[in-house]
């Protein structure tokens, strides 16, 4: 993230688009952590500090973030590996769509 800030630091035109690029980059990294956890949760316990931080960030960023992050953590606690993977993947897709909608509102694909 600091590398992206350095790259954009000497841009001379107005607007806050450079800060939005950094925010979108951060959101994509958080989303990647969540999607990796959903993908791997059937075979191992994926609950970790990086996942918690990603979920905290998503919780603060998207409209239904708090509810979705609780549902994701509840899914990870499911004892049946197949159900755990299915529900975590479903919630991760909802989070992805919400993050995508946010980036579209900011004018980025």
């Amino acid at each position: 993230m600091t590398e992206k800030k350095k790259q954009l630091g000497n841009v001379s035109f107005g607007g806050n688009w450079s800060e939005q690029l950094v925010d979108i980059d951060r959101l994509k990294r958080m989303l990647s952590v969540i999607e990796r956890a959903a993908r791997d949760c059937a075979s191992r316990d994926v609950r970790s500090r990086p996942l918690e931080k990603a979920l905290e960030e998503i919780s603060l960023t998207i409209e239904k973030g708090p509810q979705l992050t609780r549902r994701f953590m509840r899914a990870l606690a499911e004892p049946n590996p197949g159900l755990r993977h299915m529900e975590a993947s479903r919630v991760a897709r909802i989070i992805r769509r919400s993050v995508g909608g946010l980036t579209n509102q900011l004018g980025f694909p």
Side-chain angles (χ1 to χ4, degrees):
M1 182 165 86
T2 46
E3 183 177 312
K4 179 83 74 176
K5 283 184 180 179
K6 284 181 186 177
Q7 290 172 352
L8 299 171
N10 62 355
V11 175
S12 60
F13 4 112
N16 64 349
W17 63 271
S18 62
E19 289 83 12
Q20 289 174 343
L21 281 176
V22 173
D23 290 343
I24 290 170
D25 189 46
R26 188 184 80 247
L27 279 174
K28 287 181 178 179
R29 282 195 312 277
M30 298 297 124
L31 188 57
S32 175
V33 170
I34 293 167
E35 289 175 332
R36 188 176 326 115
R39 184 185 64 232
D40 297 345
C41 71
S43 59
R44 65 182 180 87
D45 185 0
V46 295
R47 293 171 286 191
S48 65
R49 185 63 191 138
L51 177 60
E52 288 174 14
K53 288 182 76 167
L55 290 171
E56 287 171 13
E57 186 72 30
I58 292 297
S59 180
L60 296 171
T61 304
I62 62 176
E63 184 178 344
K64 293 189 177 184
Q67 296 93 326
L68 291 171
T69 56
R70 281 193 302 273
R71 285 171 55 188
F72 191 81
M73 290 305 290
R74 202 169 35 244
L76 294 181
E78 167 60 47
N80 181 305
L83 292 176
R84 180 171 56 240
H85 180 262
M86 186 174 65
E87 182 62 11
S89 296
R90 187 179 73 74
V91 176
R93 283 191 302 274
I94 295 169
I95 292 171
R96 172 170 276 294
R97 282 195 304 270
S98 297
V99 168
L102 177 63
T103 59
N104 290 339
Q105 288 175 0
L106 294 173
F108 297 96

